[in-house]
Each structure stands twice: as structure tokens, then as C-alpha cells.
Amino acid sequence: MTEQTLSVPEIHCDHCKHSIETAVGALDGVGEATVDVATATVKVSYDSPATIDGVIAAIEGQGYDVPAQG
């Protein structure tokens, strides 16, 4: 299982947490998606068929920008 942490600066409340965790958690292959509001990050564990691009698309689909990670 691949684990990755993404910075999502627009996360600021429990509503953000719930919407992102629900959207990412619904993707096939995602084992866990956890939002940390204090650090504005999303930690995700996934296997195929999920991809990091798919995870980012799910987050952006909820209205949050995911800046280039580096």
C-alpha cells in the first residue's frame, strides 16, 4: 500500500475534513484518507486502481486546490 501526505492549504474546518475524507475514501483502492485540519494536510493510503492523480482530482472536485507537491 502506498502512503502519501498532501498539503491542501485551504483546509480550515471540520466541514473541509469531512468532505475531503468522504470523497477520497470513496475511491476504489483507497484504504484510508485522514485530514489533519491543524496542519492542512491529507494523508492517504491507497493501492491500485487508485492513483495519486485520482486522489488529487477527488480533493479538487470538492473545491480545494492541491498545489504542486514537492
Side-chain angles (χ1 to χ4, degrees), residues 5-63:
T5 301
L6 301 170
S7 174
V8 184
E10 296 172 332
I11 294 172
H12 63 274
C13 66
D14 284 340
H15 172 74
C16 301
K17 175 180 172 67
H18 177 72
S19 65
I20 292 171
E21 286 178 349
T22 300
V24 175
L27 298 173
D28 280 345
V30 171
E32 185 175 9
T34 306
V35 172
D36 186 328
V37 175
T39 61
T41 57
V42 179
K43 182 178 179 182
V44 61
S45 301
Y46 61 93
D47 277 327
S48 183
T51 64
I52 196 62
D53 289 338
V55 170
I56 291 171
I59 295 169
E60 290 179 339
Q62 295 302 302

